[in-house]
Each structure stands twice: as structure tokens, then as C-alpha cells.
Amino acid sequence: MKTTLEYRIGHHSKGNAVVHLVWIPKRRKKVLSGEIAKCLGQIIYELAKEKDWDILSLEVAPDHVHLFVEHQPDVAINQVVKAFKGRSSCLLRRKFPELLKLPSLWTNSYFYSTAGQVSADVIKRYIEEPHHG
């Protein structure tokens, strides 16, 4: 997990694209615990590594996910969300058949908030506070 924000340098750009994401399971079911939560975290970290995205903070609560991630500026936020939710839904439902009771693992909705250097620390502290769960 990366602890500080650094600018990404592209062919014609320099900057950082950082977003705080929150999404929930269908019907806000509290299914993200134990081995499922652990596996979800692994999936998120592996996908981020594959895509060259940096996870700044991650919290998996029983009924929601908080993710603070830095991605390339040419990648739209909805593509980031689609990648995490799509991959995790497919792999988790394959590994944990009890999740097949839900019509889909995730709702179609998600929350996002972009962040700059100043607010990044505030968001990271919020996600890491033990009040979730």
C-alpha cells in the first residue's frame, strides 16, 4: 500500500488522479466478512497491481467497501469501479456459492469523490478509523 501521493508522468501530462470509492452488496446484505472479506481484499490488490493503480487505503466492512485508489488520468472513474466490482463479483461468486443467493453481488450504484493532495490525508484517515464495521 502506497503511503504518499506522487505525480504520475505521462507522455503529455503530469498529475494524480485519486478517488475515494464506496460500494455495497445487493440489498445491503452483510456478506463481506471472514474469508469472503479476505478474498475480496486480495482480488482488489491483485487487480490494482495488474492495472498499475495504487491502493492508498482499503476497508472491507460487512455491508460496504471503502477504497481509496490512485489511477492513471486517462482512465475514467466508472472504468475503475467496473473493473473492481466486475472482477470481484465473478471470482467471489465462483469461490463462495452462498453468494449466489443474491441476484448479483453488488448494486449498480457507487459513491465516488475525487481528492487532491490536501484532502487525500483526510480521506485516508477516515477510511482507516475503526468506526466502520
Side-chain angles (χ1 to χ4, degrees):
M1 185 177 336
K2 203 167 138 180
T3 56
T4 60
L5 292 175
E6 297 172 7
Y7 291 118
R8 287 181 182 252
I9 300 172
H11 293 293
H12 303 285
S13 65
K14 180 177 180 178
N16 59 33
V18 184
V19 65
H20 173 206
L21 302 170
V22 182
W23 68 89
I24 62 174
K26 193 76 164 183
R27 300 181 184 142
R28 193 104 191 200
K29 294 286 187 181
K30 295 184 178 192
V31 296
L32 307 176
S33 59
E35 285 301 309
I36 293 173
K38 183 179 175 183
C39 188
L40 174 58
Q42 291 171 341
I43 292 166
I44 288 172
Y45 277 102
E46 288 169 10
L47 178 62
K49 184 176 181 181
E50 176 186 314
K51 299 281 191 179
D52 192 28
W53 299 339
D54 293 314
I55 304 297
L56 302 174
S57 190
L58 171 66
E59 187 229 353
V60 178
D63 65 347
H64 65 280
V65 176
H66 277 279
L67 176 62
F68 192 36
V69 61
E70 180 185 6
H71 58 90
Q72 296 87 346
D74 62 340
V75 178
I77 293 170
N78 69 318
Q79 292 174 307
V80 175
V81 174
K82 183 177 179 180
F84 284 121
K85 288 172 70 175
R87 170 92 48 100
S88 63
S89 178
C90 179
L91 296 178
L92 288 174
R93 287 164 64 92
R94 188 179 304 153
K95 186 170 182 176
F96 301 98
E98 63 268 28
L99 296 176
L100 294 172
K101 293 176 185 174
L102 295 172
S104 62
L105 179 55
W106 308 116
T107 65
N108 292 329
S109 304
Y110 61 92
F111 166 85
Y112 74 93
S113 177
T114 57
Q117 187 68 34
V118 174
S119 61
D121 290 334
V122 173
I123 292 171
K124 190 171 183 300
R125 278 196 312 269
Y126 173 77
I127 292 172
E128 292 173 352
E129 283 178 5
H131 68 280
H132 301 291

